[in-house]
Amino acid sequence: MKKQYMPMSDEEKEFIKNYKADAYERPSVTADIVVFTLDDEDDLNILLIKRNGFPYKDHWAIPGGFLEVGKESIDDTAKRELYEETGLDIDNIYLKQLYTFGNPDRDPRTHVISVAYTALIPKSQLTISAGDDASDAKLFKIRYDVNGMLFVSDEVTISEDKLAFDHATIIRTAVTRIRSRIDYEPDAFNLLKDKTEFTIYELKRIYESIKNTELDTANFRKSFTRNYVNTGIVTDLNRKRTETGKKPTELYSYIGN
Amino acid sequence: MKKQYMPMSDEEKEFIKNYKADAYERPSVTADIVVFTLDDEDDLNILLIKRNGFPYKDHWAIPGGFLEVGKESIDDTAKRELYEETGLDIDNIYLKQLYTFGNPDRDPRTHVISVAYTALIPKSQLTISAGDDASDAKLFKIRYDVNGMLFVSDEVTISEDKLAFDHATIIRTAVTRIRSRIDYEPDAFNLLKDKTEFTIYELKRIYESIKNTELDTANFRKSFTRNYVNTGIVTDLNRKRTETGKKPTELYSYIGN
DNA sequence: TTAATAGTGTCTGTAAGACAATATTGC
DNA sequence: GCAATATTGTCTTACAGACACTATTAA
């Protein structure tokens, strides 16, 4: 790790002591998180909150919040906001930086730079509750119509132009990213209910939801074996799970690398 | 494109008018650019500047500068800084966002969020000049030793722990990124002296420099033909360039997609 | 036995890597 | 012809997709 920088000369110490950050106008910085999960029908969902303050009051948005300057890294801002929103154990969560959005007019208050993150979380670990800045929080299925995306829950459907800020763009970027990453990264394991004990079909359903297509069982097994079992990323537990009326299924455990 | 947000109610208009961005402390935001080029020996180089102000005075750093709040997007900051540093026509340049670095102690002055960019520019288009904030600017070959990277020019060699801020980390991230992207994206074309008229061997040398390995001519031609010529991304000019003592070489032109 | 799902085997096409062979220039 | 480089062809291996086939459970 990089050591902390030590000013060398008295002149430099003096400069830093007298540095006025206020000399230049500064923007606000937020971390905003696109939380993906699979619902009970194994459809890909994202978490949206309903804003209860201006701007975009009563609009749906992705969760996020402002960086606490000098106290935390922007990654930690994302972790903190995710914790406040979902209450989950942050350190074992898939949370990756996605892209930084910095148009001057994306927020009507002031120039706000948004560092966007993607999180993949099994629904069983999500405790969805409206936080301080939200009057509601819900999971929405991602659907498409001629105008782009739709966000569908049991009670509400939102078209993407109704989302707060540029959050539709952020979500589209996130969906594109996880769809392309799934082909060469083991991201899907993070959506398993229990990655220490799962069947290949549970994993396959995750791939199908993310890729939005059906996969061939035999071919999926071949690449699963080659890429994960044979490389040691996944261990065969040599145990089976039996469900009524079906042939028992082999169980695997995700080790990682 | 997303329409500009229009506040709906008088209440909301009032809120935005009275919004005090200063209520919360804000960080500074910079765009910093890792500029890659190939030198006359076809080695991969990066552009570094020597800082002439505190902090890290007289240390080498990647070019960059502060966002002008409310006036430009963070992408435009990167373009502007790159223009100020190299004087080149910004609109035809490969400039892509890399990653955002936001540790609170990466700059001793104050909390500075750095949105890092990668640029790929042919050396013939680079006019290297020290700008306002630099006493020198130079291209450096990237070399490796046991401790990590070295940056080597004719007169100077810098080990990565001598770079300003966390710029060694940023450069390492950038190198890793372009090395992996080269296998599935047509980034290499951006380093051609003239992408409207080039030979397959000029392109091959760029691939070899970025991947840091020798490539088989026959196999390179096969994938070049399949991925670029047959897809229309590259046109065969049906003309040859003849050099003395050698079999003439076919010329191609990059169209893009 | 049968319905339902788990799991295997085979064939085809494509692509990557190693490497041999042929082609065209200036001298 | 020869040196130098350009270009083509062949062989092997890996892998993805399509699809037919076999296996094991509960009822």
Side-chain angles (χ1 to χ4, degrees):
Chain A
M1 279 285 84
K2 178 87 183 206
K3 64 204 168 307
Q4 170 92 28
Y5 174 67
M6 298 295 287
M8 297 316 229
S9 66
D10 289 345
E11 188 191 2
E12 180 157 10
K13 282 181 193 151
E14 196 63 17
F15 168 85
I16 287 174
K17 206 183 77 185
N18 294 329
Y19 181 78
K20 292 274 182 287
D22 291 327
Y24 299 94
E25 201 185 344
R26 286 165 296 165
S28 295
V29 173
T30 64
D32 296 301
I33 307 126
V34 183
V35 179
F36 288 102
T37 195
L38 294 198
D39 62 20
D40 298 330
E41 296 162 295
D42 288 318
D43 287 325
L44 191 64
N45 280 45
I46 64 167
L47 174 65
L48 297 178
I49 60 158
K50 192 176 200 173
R51 293 176 55 81
N52 70 1
F54 295 120
Y56 288 101
K57 184 163 158 42
D58 297 328
H59 286 62
W60 291 86
I62 59 175
F66 288 98
L67 171 75
E68 293 185 1
V69 173
K71 292 191 194 151
E72 60 184 7
S73 70
I74 185 68
D75 287 1
D76 287 337
T77 308
K79 283 188 189 177
R80 181 174 52 73
E81 293 289 341
L82 188 57
Y83 174 76
E84 290 173 7
E85 204 63 50
T86 64
L88 47 72
D89 175 16
I90 291 310
D91 291 323
N92 296 313
I93 283 302
Y94 177 102
L95 178 66
K96 282 216 185 317
Q97 196 184 296
L98 171 66
Y99 197 80
T100 297
F101 298 84
N103 282 346
D105 57 0
R106 52 179 298 287
D107 189 312
R109 290 169 290 187
T110 182
H111 196 160
V112 178
I113 307 294
S114 165
V115 184
Y117 287 78
T118 301
L120 301 182
I121 305 175
K123 192 180 170 224
S124 55
Q125 284 178 46
L126 272 177
T127 315
I128 296 161
S129 57
D132 286 352
D133 50 356
S135 58
D136 202 356
K138 246 190 242 304
L139 291 178
F140 290 82
K141 286 181 199 285
I142 298 172
R143 294 270 173 270
Y144 296 90
D145 77 350
V146 287
N147 298 314
M149 289 184 300
L150 289 180
F151 304 95
V152 181
S153 78
D154 287 344
E155 309 98 21
V156 198
T157 295
I158 315 161
S159 63
E160 64 175 317
D161 59 302
K162 295 283 169 50
L163 291 186
F165 308 108
D166 53 359
H167 287 187
T169 303
I170 296 178
I171 293 168
R172 237 179 301 110
T173 306
V175 171
T176 305
R177 177 78 63 90
I178 67 158
R179 291 229 164 112
S180 73
R181 274 181 63 93
I182 198 77
D183 288 327
Y184 56 93
E185 294 287 349
D187 290 355
F189 293 97
N190 297 288
L191 289 171
L192 289 166
K193 250 189 292 294
D194 180 0
K195 38 176 147 175
T196 67
E197 186 175 313
F198 62 90
T199 71
I200 194 171
Y201 299 98
E202 290 169 343
L203 187 69
K204 176 167 169 275
R205 251 168 266 135
I206 296 172
Y207 272 82
E208 291 174 329
S209 303
I210 293 177
K211 293 170 81 103
N212 204 24
T213 120
E214 294 225 335
L215 298 175
D216 180 276
T217 321
N219 297 332
F220 184 79
R221 180 178 296 272
K222 267 189 297 190
S223 79
F224 173 76
T225 304
R226 193 178 343 97
N227 296 324
Y228 298 124
V229 182
N230 293 347
T231 57
I233 292 171
V234 158
T235 310
D236 189 333
L237 291 176
N238 294 312
R239 276 186 359 243
K240 290 181 197 297
R241 177 186 298 160
T242 305
E243 277 173 86
T244 179
K246 292 157 59 171
K247 181 174 173 181
T249 316
E250 188 64 20
L251 291 170
Y252 296 91
S253 177
Y254 179 73
I255 309 292
N257 46 4
Chain B
M1 279 284 83
K2 177 88 183 206
K3 65 206 168 306
Q4 170 92 28
Y5 174 67
M6 297 297 286
M8 298 313 229
S9 65
D10 288 346
E11 188 191 3
E12 179 157 10
K13 281 181 191 150
E14 196 63 18
F15 168 86
I16 288 174
K17 207 181 76 183
N18 293 330
Y19 180 78
K20 293 273 182 289
D22 290 328
Y24 299 95
E25 202 184 345
R26 285 164 296 165
S28 295
V29 173
T30 64
D32 295 301
I33 306 125
V34 182
V35 179
F36 287 102
T37 195
L38 294 198
D39 63 20
D40 298 331
E41 295 162 294
D42 288 317
D43 288 324
L44 191 64
N45 282 43
I46 64 168
L47 175 64
L48 297 177
I49 60 158
K50 192 177 201 172
R51 293 176 55 82
N52 70 2
F54 294 120
Y56 288 101
K57 183 165 161 39
D58 298 327
H59 285 62
W60 292 87
I62 59 175
F66 289 98
L67 169 75
E68 293 185 1
V69 173
K71 291 191 193 151
E72 61 185 5
S73 69
I74 185 68
D75 287 1
D76 287 338
T77 308
K79 281 188 189 177
R80 180 175 51 74
E81 293 289 342
L82 187 58
Y83 174 77
E84 289 173 7
E85 204 63 49
T86 64
L88 46 74
D89 175 17
I90 292 309
D91 291 323
N92 296 313
I93 284 301
Y94 177 102
L95 179 65
K96 284 216 185 315
Q97 196 183 295
L98 172 64
Y99 197 79
T100 298
F101 298 84
N103 282 346
D105 56 0
R106 52 178 299 283
D107 190 311
R109 291 168 291 188
T110 181
H111 197 160
V112 178
I113 306 294
S114 166
V115 184
Y117 287 80
T118 300
L120 300 180
I121 305 174
K123 192 179 170 225
S124 55
Q125 285 179 46
L126 271 177
T127 317
I128 295 160
S129 58
D132 285 352
D133 50 356
S135 58
D136 202 355
K138 246 191 242 304
L139 292 177
F140 290 82
K141 287 182 199 283
I142 298 173
R143 294 272 174 268
Y144 297 90
D145 77 351
V146 286
N147 298 314
M149 288 185 300
L150 289 179
F151 304 96
V152 181
S153 79
D154 287 345
E155 309 97 21
V156 198
T157 294
I158 315 161
S159 63
E160 64 175 317
D161 58 302
K162 294 284 170 50
L163 291 186
F165 308 107
D166 53 359
H167 286 188
T169 302
I170 297 178
I171 293 167
R172 236 178 304 108
T173 306
V175 171
T176 305
R177 176 78 64 91
I178 69 160
R179 290 227 166 114
S180 72
R181 274 181 63 92
I182 197 78
D183 289 326
Y184 57 94
E185 293 287 347
D187 289 355
F189 293 97
N190 296 288
L191 288 170
L192 288 165
K193 252 190 290 295
D194 181 359
K195 41 177 144 175
T196 67
E197 187 175 313
F198 62 90
T199 70
I200 194 172
Y201 300 99
E202 290 169 342
L203 187 68
K204 175 167 168 276
R205 252 169 267 135
I206 296 171
Y207 273 82
E208 291 175 330
S209 304
I210 293 177
K211 292 170 81 100
N212 203 24
T213 124
E214 294 226 334
L215 298 175
D216 179 275
T217 322
N219 296 333
F220 184 79
R221 181 179 296 273
K222 267 191 294 188
S223 79
F224 174 75
T225 305
R226 192 178 344 98
N227 296 322
Y228 299 124
V229 182
N230 293 349
T231 56
I233 292 171
V234 158
T235 310
D236 189 333
L237 291 174
N238 294 313
R239 277 184 0 242
K240 290 178 196 301
R241 177 186 298 161
T242 305
E243 278 174 87
T244 177
K246 292 157 58 170
K247 181 174 172 181
T249 316
E250 188 64 20
L251 291 170
Y252 297 90
S253 178
Y254 178 73
I255 308 293
N257 45 4

